[in-house]
């Protein structure tokens, strides 16, 4: 196991390098980069925005002068455009910028945001608690709902219960989480009917002065609607996976033999079938958590005004904030690769008979 784990850890390096390199190359051909964004801002705001160029670029920029209004409508001074390119580091060749970026990433130095005037590490640290809270609670509840429901459907395969719950699962497949989130807002967050749950953030503005039991209760109260939205949008697939895994194991010869020896149905189900059927489901927990954390929660974060990593990544892509884009991509990819290794390790915990070293 030690040799297998070492090989997987070593494979993280070229995989991470390849993902970053491909995305860096693609971005070089994407129109509307940060330089163009700044030029558009200068043209839109006039002379008020030139102070930002001189302040961040470290050198005074001579603003074009002439008759009447700002000359940005007729084109910027080439020296100002050069200063903007230097401010964002685009005065250097792409290869040199890529090598510098990789060197900084080795020490987890992701630079500063082009537009938010914060370090990427600081921004990720600010947003991480929101996304981790939403992803962790949602993933746990998805498992707590899906596994018992999937087992019950497998045991009662073809019964009225199975047919009725299949309708619920079908709704979970058909209705995306963000659409159900909008429905919850309309029904329970002051949209048109009831105002039972809060709509914005993870805590109330005045919660900092409360005692810790009140703060915990306030946090949980804020988490109800976004968590329910993600659970409804994500439980269907895991429920059917659980059902199919259990059905496959229930029909195997060893369960028939156990029943023939006089074992009770609960003993057959939970002593013999459970471990084999749950192998794929439990080992997939890290990947499910990463999926909800970094992708599924984006629209839910927007709807409930949760300032998390999904919203940060989306806004940085829209604004071409490259340090935030590549910094979050590096962190997300590294976490995803590590969680895949954790998932493989869970296989051996659930079933000690699995030996990765014996594979060829």
């Amino acid at each position: 196991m030690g040799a297998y784990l070492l090989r997987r850890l070593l494979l993280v390096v070229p995989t991470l390098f390849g993902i970053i390199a491909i995305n860096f190359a693609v971005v070089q051909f994407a129109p509307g980069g940060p330089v163009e964004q700044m030029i558009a801002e200068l043209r839109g705001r006039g002379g008020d925005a030139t102070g930002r160029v001189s302040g961040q670029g470290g050198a005074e920029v001579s603003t074009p002068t002439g008759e009447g209004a700002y000359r940005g409508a007729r084109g910027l001074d080439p020296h100002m455009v050069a200063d903007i390119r230097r401010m964002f580091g685009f005065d250097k060749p792409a290869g040199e910028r890529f090598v510098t970026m990789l060197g900084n990433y080795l020490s987890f130095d992701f630079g500063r945001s082009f537009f938010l005037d914060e370090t990427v590490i600081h921004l990720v640290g600010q947003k991480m608690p929101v996304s981790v809270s939403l992803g962790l609670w949602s993933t746990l509840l998805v498992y707590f709902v899906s596994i018992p429901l999937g087992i019950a459907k497998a045991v009662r395969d073809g019964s009225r219960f199975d047919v009725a719950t299949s309708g619920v699962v079908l709704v979970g497949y058909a209705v995306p989480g963000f659409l159900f989130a909008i429905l919850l807002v309309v029904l329970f967050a002051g949209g048109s009917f009831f105002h039972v749950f809060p709509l914005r953030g993870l805590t109330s503005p005045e919660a900092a002065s409360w005692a810790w039991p009140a703060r915990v209760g306030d946090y949980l109260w804020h988490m109800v609607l976004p968590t329910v939205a993600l659970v409804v949008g994500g439980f269907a697939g895991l429920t059917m996976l659980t059902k199919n895994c259990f059905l496959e194991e229930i029909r195997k010869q060893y369960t028939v033999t156990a029943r023939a020896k006089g074992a009770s149905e609960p003993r057959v189900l939970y002593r013999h079938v459970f471990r084999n059927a749950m192998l794929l489901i439990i080992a997939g927990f890290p990947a499910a958590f990463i999926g909800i954390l970094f992708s599924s929660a984006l629209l839910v974060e927007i709807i409930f005004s949760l300032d998390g990593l999904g919203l940060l990544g989306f806004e940085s892509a829209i604004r071409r904030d490259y340090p935030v884009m590549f910094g979050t991509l590096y962190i997300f990819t590294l976490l995803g690769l590590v969680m895949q290794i954790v998932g493989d390790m869970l296989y051996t915990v659930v079933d000690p008979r699995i030996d990765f070293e014996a594979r060829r």
Side-chain angles (χ1 to χ4, degrees):
M1 179 58 67
Y4 172 79
L5 181 60
L6 180 61
R7 287 198 302 270
R8 289 296 304 272
L9 290 174
L10 291 176
L11 281 174
V12 168
V13 177
T15 304
L16 194 58
F17 173 81
I19 292 173
I20 296 296
I22 291 172
N23 282 273
F24 184 87
V26 170
V27 163
Q28 304 312 306
F29 300 99
V35 174
E36 289 80 3
Q37 297 267 355
M38 178 59 74
I39 291 175
E41 183 178 339
L42 287 172
R43 291 184 177 184
R45 295 186 180 181
D48 293 339
T50 59
R52 179 177 178 182
V53 178
S54 61
Q56 291 189 16
E60 292 295 329
V61 178
S62 57
T63 306
T65 58
E67 295 182 1
Y70 174 65
R71 287 178 53 195
R74 300 196 299 271
L76 295 178
D77 190 314
H79 296 291
M80 180 179 290
V81 176
D83 284 326
I84 294 173
R85 293 182 61 84
R86 184 166 55 253
M87 179 179 72
F88 290 126
F90 285 91
D91 57 326
K92 301 175 182 177
E96 182 179 345
R97 286 187 280 117
F98 180 68
V99 172
T100 302
M101 183 182 72
L102 288 182
N104 293 334
Y105 281 11
L106 292 177
S107 59
F108 288 89
D109 177 12
F110 303 109
R112 299 181 68 87
S113 168
F114 285 158
F115 301 102
L116 299 177
D117 197 26
E118 296 278 359
T119 64
V120 175
I121 284 291
H122 182 69
L123 288 172
V124 171
Q126 282 183 327
K127 318 298 184 184
M128 183 70 81
V130 176
S131 294
V132 168
S133 295
L134 192 56
L136 183 60
W137 290 119
S138 301
T139 306
L140 289 175
L141 285 177
V142 164
Y143 269 72
F144 287 151
V145 170
S146 301
I147 291 177
L149 181 59
I151 295 174
K153 286 176 66 63
V155 173
R156 299 171 177 83
D157 185 38
S159 65
R160 291 182 179 179
F161 174 82
D162 184 35
V163 174
T165 53
S166 294
V168 178
V169 171
L170 182 61
V171 172
Y173 271 122
V175 181
F178 75 90
L179 190 60
F180 195 78
I182 296 174
L183 177 63
L184 291 176
V185 169
V186 172
L187 291 178
F188 301 112
S192 299
F193 295 91
F194 307 101
H195 195 176
V196 180
F197 296 96
L199 182 59
R200 300 179 61 87
L202 287 182
T203 57
S204 300
E206 64 277 8
S209 60
W210 297 350
W212 71 265
R215 292 203 301 269
V216 171
D218 180 66
Y219 161 76
L220 295 175
W221 201 242
H222 278 76
M223 288 298 300
V224 169
L225 293 187
T227 302
V228 169
L230 285 176
V231 170
V232 170
F235 85 100
L238 185 60
T239 298
M240 296 308 299
L241 176 63
T242 304
K243 176 187 175 181
N244 293 333
C245 287
F246 270 81
L247 279 178
E248 182 180 358
E249 296 298 325
I250 286 173
R251 294 166 180 169
K252 287 185 176 179
Q253 186 62 42
Y254 73 88
T255 60
V256 177
T257 303
R259 291 191 185 99
K261 290 182 176 181
S264 63
E265 195 63 26
R267 181 179 178 85
V268 172
L269 183 64
Y270 295 105
R271 179 70 180 271
H272 300 281
V273 174
F274 189 83
R275 172 175 289 184
N276 294 328
M278 291 300 294
L279 178 62
L280 178 63
I281 299 167
I282 293 178
F285 181 87
F289 173 66
I290 290 294
I292 292 179
L293 181 63
F294 296 137
S295 58
S296 303
L298 170 58
L299 293 176
V300 173
E301 286 183 7
I302 296 174
I303 292 170
F304 290 102
S305 301
L306 299 174
D307 195 9
L309 291 173
L311 186 58
L312 175 66
F314 173 76
E315 290 179 343
S316 65
I318 293 297
R319 302 186 67 180
R320 303 296 195 271
D321 196 345
Y322 291 159
V324 179
M325 282 176 56
F326 287 111
T328 52
L329 175 66
Y330 182 90
I331 294 172
F332 295 171
T333 305
L334 181 60
L335 285 176
L337 294 172
V338 171
M339 294 303 279
Q340 286 182 356
I341 298 175
V342 173
D344 285 350
M345 296 302 102
L346 284 177
Y347 278 114
T348 62
V349 174
V350 177
D351 190 350
R353 296 172 298 175
I354 295 178
D355 184 8
F356 289 107
E357 295 293 341
R359 296 194 310 171
R360 295 290 184 266

